[in-house]
Every structure is written in structure tokens, then in C-alpha cells.
């Protein structure tokens, strides 16, 4: 039962959401009678393994005046009588563990330092760093008070992440009365920042999004933001169906209690710390785990994951640590674009980094149907996405060539020969091969030209220690993308130079495949 630190499933923020699932629930009275969140048991422990925390306000709780008041309250020094994360986890059953919360300064001096989980003692591979009891874990089952309702919501494409964000916003409105108050304060303190002190681009300004010009990530950010707007429009349905929320807040309609900007901030904050548990019920697969992200550091080549065990979520380390070392966990096989979008960081050594090339056969081609069948026979589609993985750029180019050659074919007799054969190879004249390679080279050059800076200029920017964190992480992302594109271009030019006559003119191709 393993948990990958992961982004929320794309379907939940990009697909249309059904607006009338209420007919699936038998009666409103049943919703009112759902049990609300029960208080966690107190179980003091001698060994306390996390330090105190305070908060800035990110998961805003209501009106601007209320938010200002919350900010003032949360900025007070410890000793004001409020319960910090350490005491809260201790009182609610946290077993002895082998980690501490440490901090490093934030780039913005107006923000509090960033907390992170570190080893409190020397650890060996296979040691249990911590085990958080289920009573301290927030899941959809706990939020909605009933697993059947939880599955109904997810079946109807309502976002688990939106439900969790809405729940924490409502809990924040209760202030210190909420059983989750110390945990929410810690989330507020982190402000949805990744380990590079950067929030998801979902919270960047329009001017800051320009740092991503040329990268497909910019469009992905805008698409995700539109998905969040659709989630926001469905909050009232979630509130109406969720028994625990309806019982506790019968008059606080979500879209009246919270503005879209507040919801987007909460969504991004929850997105940065949600854990995807494996081999558990649908209602428990997305979980918020204290001591989990964003307090845990991420590492693409790490294999340690949060794991659901009997009555708890635990972390078993996959490597030795010295006391004080940050604890790292795997964030799943995600490219850097996803890591930035979901968590606000990138990994220079990410073995899963990749870019995509989209190719499509021309539908105007009289032989389109024949070519589509040949492509399908060889595991490709009429609109095909090719994955260009870091370090495997030459192999990716070689994988694209048979598909592009198929698109360039125009002689019906040759097409019939290909249809009757069993392999993907299409015989090409030198001029046609040159045309295929020229199109591919032009494509990579166009993509590189779409970035406003060169690799050399990126290096100069990154050498500036005063560069703000958002521009720094964006520059690192586009620099890695450009390096993969440049490697693809080099591989293509090498193939052109290997042609028998490199000065041969390319053949015309009226129905060449499109590349984007």
C-alpha cells in the first residue's frame, strides 16, 4: 500500500464536471444526518519529534477583514496559548519517531522560514522514519463522512483535491476550535512553497508566467487554472452532498463564503502536499499527511514512499542518513514541467524528464485511411505523441522517422506494398528522406526559436545570485527543455550528414505530416 507524492489526477481539473449528481442521493435528510469529523483521541507520548510552527495565511478563511485578523493571530510568537504542530501531534497519538522539523530562511524576508523534515538521528536503509496514525490523516472518506458519498463524487468527476481544499477552508474558519488548527497553521506557514521557495505557477502573476514563454508548461498552467475555475463553480454541489460539511456549515454556501482567488490559493496549497496512497479504497487514495509533503524533500531518483499500513501512514527510508540530513521521498515518475506545476520545483537530475512531440497524418491525404491502418498496425495513431526522454533524444528521433516516412508516401503502388508487408519500414528515395529530415530539423529549430533566451543567456541569468526564485526555477526549466530540443536537432542534422549526397534537394510532399 504505497503512496506516491503526486499531483492531483488531471481528469479532476480538466474535464467537464457533471452538475446534477444529487439525484443519486436518496434524501436531503440523509445528508444532514451524516456524522461530522470526530475529535481525535489524546494519547500523550514522551518522545516528541517535531518542532513548533507558526503560520502565514494562504488557506484564507473568509472575508478580507477576517483574513487580516487571522494573519495577525498567526504572526504572534509562541506562548500565546495556541497549540503548535508538535503538541497537537503528540496529544493525538504520534508514536516515537526519528525525525525533527528544521528550517531554512526564505528568499523573501517577509515570509517565515521554510520547514522541512530531517533525521533526528543516524538512520539506516529500511528504518521507519515516522508513522502517522490515521486519526491525523485527512482523506476524502473523513471529509465526506461516508465512503459511498466519496465514491459517488469521484465517479461524477468531482475533484478529490477540491473537496480537500474546501474542507480545510471551512476548518480554517473555525480557527482554534478546529481539531486541524495546528496542521492548517503549518500549511499556511509553508504557503504552498516547494523546496526551492517557489509556489506553483498557478499562483504566479501574468508577468511572471512570461518567464515560461516558449515552454508548453505555460499553456498547461493556464489550462489547469481554467480547470480550477470549473471546480470552483461546482463547490456548492460538493457542499450540498457532503454530509459532514452540510451539518457543520448549513448556511455557509462555498461560493458565497470564499472567493475564487481564495479557493485557488487553497487548491494550490493542498496540491503541493497531497499524497496518493496505493492499494486503498477510492475514498482514501488522496491523503494529507502531517510530516508528509511539503515538509518532506523530493528526489526523483529516490524510491522511498509514504505507505498505508494498518491504522497509519509510514515512511521507510531507502538510504542511510546522518542526523540533521533532510529526508527525501519519491515524487513519482514525473517530468520537470509537472514537478513545477504541482510542487513549485524542478530536479536537474530527474531521470524522468521529458518533452513531447505531437505528429499527425494529414486528413486531406487521399491515402489517409490506408496510412492510418498501417500506423495502427505498428502501434501508432493518426495523431501520435512521441516522448522525448532526457538522454534518449537520438532514440526518440529514430522512433519518429518511420511514422514521418509513412506520411510522406504518395505513390499508391508503394503504399500497397507497405500495407502487404509486416514491418514499419517504408522505402524512401534520397530526396524524400531529405524532406523528412528537413521537416524534423525545421521543427526543432522553430521550437528553440520560440524561447526568448538562448542557453548561454540562461546560464548568465542563473549565475546571478540575486535572481528571484520564480524566475530562477522557470529559467532552469526552459533551459532543460532547450537542451533536449538541441540534442534532438543535433541527432537530426547528423542523419542529414549521413545521406549519400547531403546537398540533394528535398522532394515536394503535398501531404506531409504536421508537427507541433
Amino acid at each position: 500500500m504505497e503512496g506516491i507524492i503526486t499531483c492531483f489526477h488531471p481528469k479532476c481539473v480538466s474535464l467537464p464536471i457533471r452538475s446534477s449528481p444529487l439525484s443519486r442521493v436518496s434524501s436531503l435528510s440523509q445528508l444532514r444526518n451524516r456524522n461530522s469529523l470526530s475529535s481525535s483521541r489524546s494519547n500523550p507520548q514522551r518522545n516528541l519529534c517535531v518542532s513548533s510552527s507558526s503560520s502565514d495565511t494562504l488557506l484564507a478563511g473568509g472575508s478580507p477583514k477576517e483574513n487580516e485578523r487571522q494573519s495577525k493571530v498567526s504572526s504572534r510568537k509562541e506562548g500565546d496559548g495556541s497549540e503548535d504542530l508538535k503538541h497537537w501531534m503528540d496529544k493525538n497519538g504520534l508514536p516515537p519517531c526519528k525525525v525533527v522539523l528544521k528550517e531554512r530562511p526564505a528568499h523573501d524576508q517577509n515570509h517565515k522560514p521554510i520547514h522541512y523534515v530531517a533525521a533526528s538521528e543516524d538512520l539506516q536503509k529500511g528504518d521507519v522514519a515516522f508513522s502517522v496514525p490515521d486519526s491525523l490523516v485527512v482523506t476524502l472518506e473523513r471529509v465526506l463522512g461516508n465512503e459511498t458519498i466519496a465514491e459517488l463524487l469521484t465517479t461524477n468527476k468531482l475533484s478529490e483535491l477540491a473537496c480537500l481544499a474546501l474542507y480545510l477552508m471551512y476548518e480554517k474558519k473555525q480557527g482554534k476550535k478546529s481539531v486541524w488548527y495546528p496542521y492548517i497553521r503549518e500549511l499556511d506557514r509553508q504557503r504552498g512553497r516547494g523546496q526551492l521557495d517557489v509556489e506553483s505557477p498557478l499562483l504566479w502573476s501574468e508577468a511572471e508566467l512570461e518567464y515560461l514563454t516558449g515552454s508548453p508548461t505555460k499553456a498547461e498552467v493556464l489550462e489547469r487554472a481554467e480547470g480550477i475555475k470549473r471546480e470552483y463553480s461546482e463547490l456548492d454541489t460538493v457542499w450540498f452532498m457532503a454530509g459532514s460539511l452540510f451539518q457543520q456549515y448549513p448556511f455557509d454556501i462555498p461560493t458565497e463564503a470564499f472567493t475564487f482567488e481564495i479557493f485557488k490559493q487553497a487548491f494550490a496549497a493542498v496540491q503541493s502536499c497531497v499524497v496518493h496512497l496505493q492499494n486503498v479504497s477510492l475514498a482514501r487514495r488522496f491523503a494529507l499527511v502531517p510530516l508528509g509533503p511539503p515538509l518532506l524533500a523530493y528526489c526523483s531518483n529516490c524510491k522511498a514512499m509514504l505507505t498505508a499500513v494498518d491504522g497509519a501512514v509510514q515512511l521507510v527510508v531507502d538510504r542511510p542518513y546522518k542526523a540533521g540530513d533532510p529526508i527525501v521521498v519519491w515524487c513519482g515518475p514525473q517530468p520537470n514541467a509537472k514537478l513545477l506545476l504541482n510542487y513549485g520545483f524542478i530536479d536537474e537530475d530527474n531521470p524522468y524528464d521529458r518533452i513531447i512531440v505531437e505528429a499527425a497524418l494529414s486528413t486531406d491525404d487521399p491515402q489517409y485511411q490506408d496510412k492510418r491502418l498501417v500506423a495502427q498496425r505498428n502501434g501508432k495513431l493518426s495523431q501520435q505523441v512521441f516522448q522525448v526522454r532526457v538522454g534518449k533524444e537520438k532514440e526518440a528521433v529514430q522512433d519518429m522517422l518511420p511514422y514521418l516516412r509513412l506520411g510522406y508516401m504518395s505513390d499508391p503502388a508503394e503504399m500497397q506494398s507497405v500495407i502487404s508487408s509486416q514491418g514499419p519500414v517504408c522505402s524512401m528515395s534520397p530526396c524524400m528522406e531529405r524532406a523528412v529530415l528537413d521537416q524534423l530539423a525545421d521543427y526543432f529549430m522553430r521550437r528553440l526559436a520560440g524561447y526568448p533566451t538562448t542557453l548561454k543567456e540562461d546560464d548568465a541569468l542563473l549565475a546571478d545570485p540575486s535572481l528571484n526564485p520564480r524566475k530562477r526555477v522557470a529559467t532552469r526549466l526552459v533551459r532543460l527543455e532547450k537542451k533536449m530540443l538541441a540534442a534532438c536537432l543535433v541527432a537530426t542534422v547528423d542523419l542529414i550528414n549521413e545521406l549519400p549526397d547531403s546537398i540533394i534537394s528535398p522532394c515536394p510532399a503535398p501531404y506531409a505530416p504536421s508537427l507541433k
Side-chain angles (χ1 to χ4, degrees):
M1 303 182 193
E2 297 169 334
I4 300 173
I5 315 306
T6 184
C7 66
F8 183 66
H9 195 284
K11 74 177 184 182
C12 302
V13 291
S14 62
L15 295 181
I17 302 173
R18 300 181 191 177
S19 59
S20 58
L22 294 177
S23 60
R24 303 277 295 276
V25 182
S26 58
S27 70
L28 182 59
S29 60
Q30 289 179 326
L31 294 178
R32 289 195 177 102
N33 291 331
R34 301 290 183 197
N35 292 328
S36 61
L37 174 67
S38 59
S39 299
S40 300
R41 297 189 306 272
S42 296
N43 185 14
Q45 300 284 336
R46 290 199 190 101
N47 295 336
L48 305 178
C49 57
V50 288
S51 63
S52 62
S53 66
S54 58
S55 62
D56 297 310
T57 299
L58 179 62
L59 298 173
S63 65
K65 288 184 178 180
E66 181 180 354
N67 296 337
E68 182 179 0
R69 178 184 64 79
Q70 291 275 13
S71 181
K72 289 179 179 178
V73 170
S74 63
S75 63
R76 295 173 188 163
K77 298 295 183 180
E78 295 301 330
D80 63 356
S82 62
E83 188 176 35
D84 61 28
L85 184 64
K86 176 184 66 175
H87 294 132
W88 175 69
M89 297 189 76
D90 172 55
K91 286 175 59 177
N92 288 279
L94 179 70
C97 55
K98 301 176 181 179
V99 298
V100 293
L101 278 187
K102 303 187 73 172
E103 64 181 38
R104 57 177 175 270
H107 181 271
D108 188 338
Q109 295 183 353
N110 294 322
H111 295 165
K112 293 186 180 297
I114 296 175
H115 277 165
Y116 64 95
V117 172
S120 61
E121 59 187 75
D122 290 352
L123 299 177
Q124 300 301 318
K125 178 180 179 180
D127 285 350
V128 177
F130 60 77
S131 182
V132 178
D134 285 347
S135 61
L136 298 179
V137 176
V138 184
T139 63
L140 198 61
E141 182 178 7
R142 179 182 294 276
V143 169
L144 301 182
N146 181 276
E147 184 170 339
T148 303
I149 296 290
E151 293 186 359
L152 173 62
L153 289 173
T154 55
T155 300
N156 282 274
K157 302 296 189 294
L158 292 176
S159 161
E160 292 100 327
L161 194 55
C163 293
L164 293 172
L166 175 60
Y167 178 71
L168 290 187
M169 287 192 296
Y170 272 130
E171 285 296 313
K172 185 179 178 68
K173 289 195 67 167
Q174 294 192 74
K176 296 178 184 178
K177 295 180 181 179
S178 170
V179 67
W180 301 108
Y181 176 71
Y183 179 45
I184 292 173
R185 289 180 65 203
E186 184 61 41
L187 292 180
D188 283 345
R189 179 192 181 102
Q190 297 300 106
R191 301 177 63 86
R193 295 172 292 179
Q195 57 198 33
L196 299 180
D197 195 15
V198 175
E199 302 90 341
S200 165
L202 291 170
L203 302 179
W204 294 10
S205 67
E206 290 186 13
E208 289 168 330
L209 284 178
E210 290 301 310
Y211 301 153
L212 297 170
T213 296
S215 171
T217 306
K218 183 178 179 181
E220 292 179 18
V221 172
L222 297 175
E223 182 181 358
R224 178 76 64 85
E226 286 300 314
I228 295 174
K229 287 182 180 179
R230 291 194 293 271
E231 296 276 9
Y232 180 73
S233 69
E234 291 295 324
L235 285 183
D236 293 352
T237 298
V238 177
W239 165 83
F240 195 65
M241 292 186 64
S244 59
L245 293 180
F246 188 86
Q247 188 177 50
Q248 290 186 10
Y249 311 101
F251 305 111
D252 290 339
I253 299 175
T255 55
E256 295 179 4
F258 310 108
T259 66
F260 171 68
E261 285 303 316
I262 289 173
F263 174 68
K264 184 170 72 169
Q265 290 174 348
F267 190 101
V270 172
Q271 174 183 263
S272 72
C273 60
V274 72
V275 175
H276 189 179
L277 296 175
Q278 304 293 314
N279 301 321
V280 296
S281 66
L282 185 64
R284 296 181 58 216
R285 63 179 180 176
F286 289 96
L288 301 176
V289 184
L291 295 185
L295 299 177
L296 287 171
Y298 298 94
C299 183
S300 296
N301 58 16
C302 172
K303 294 303 179 184
M305 297 184 290
L306 289 169
T307 304
V309 296
D310 291 340
V313 176
Q314 71 176 18
L315 176 65
V316 177
V317 298
D318 71 332
R319 62 193 66 191
Y321 290 92
K322 295 293 185 182
D325 289 348
I327 302 293
V328 297
V329 292
W330 190 41
C331 50
Q334 301 182 65
N336 280 319
K338 294 297 184 185
L339 295 181
L340 177 60
L341 178 58
N342 297 321
Y343 314 119
F345 86 102
I346 67 163
D347 185 350
E348 296 274 1
D349 299 317
N350 185 358
Y352 305 101
D353 201 16
R354 61 185 181 271
I355 57 176
I356 64 171
V357 174
E358 298 180 46
L361 299 173
S362 173
T363 56
D364 295 329
D365 190 340
Q367 301 184 90
Y368 169 75
Q369 293 297 339
D370 288 339
K371 292 180 179 181
R372 182 178 65 85
L373 291 174
V374 172
Q376 289 179 345
R377 189 178 67 191
N378 290 281
K380 300 292 189 291
L381 302 173
S382 58
Q383 296 182 348
Q384 179 64 35
V385 174
F386 292 93
Q387 304 280 347
V388 180
R389 302 185 184 278
V390 63
K392 301 290 184 180
E393 293 86 358
K394 183 175 181 180
E395 291 84 347
V397 169
Q398 293 284 3
D399 187 38
M400 297 176 205
L401 289 178
Y403 186 90
L404 297 178
R405 291 170 183 147
L406 175 65
Y408 269 78
M409 295 193 70
S410 57
D411 188 324
E414 290 182 352
M415 191 69 240
Q416 289 302 314
S417 176
V418 170
I419 292 174
S420 61
S421 70
Q422 296 300 315
V425 178
C426 304
S427 59
M428 302 291 288
S429 64
C431 74
M432 193 65 76
E433 184 74 0
R434 179 61 186 263
V436 170
L437 293 172
D438 275 5
Q439 183 190 13
L440 201 52
D442 289 344
Y443 167 77
F444 292 129
M445 287 189 289
R446 285 199 314 272
R447 282 193 61 171
L448 285 167
Y451 294 93
T453 58
T454 64
L455 281 169
K456 187 174 182 180
E457 290 168 334
D458 291 340
D459 291 337
L461 280 172
L462 294 173
D464 180 4
S466 64
L467 189 66
N468 79 69
R470 292 182 179 183
K471 189 166 187 177
R472 180 176 295 278
V473 73
T475 301
R476 290 173 63 187
L477 175 72
V478 298
R479 177 177 173 273
L480 292 172
E481 291 176 347
K482 282 183 267 190
K483 289 178 71 174
M484 285 186 277
L485 288 169
C488 288
L489 178 59
V490 168
T492 305
V493 171
D494 286 346
L495 291 173
I496 292 175
N497 292 334
E498 291 174 4
L499 292 174
D501 185 354
S502 61
I503 63 173
I504 193 169
S505 299
C507 294
Y511 302 112
S514 62
L515 292 172
K516 66 176 183 177

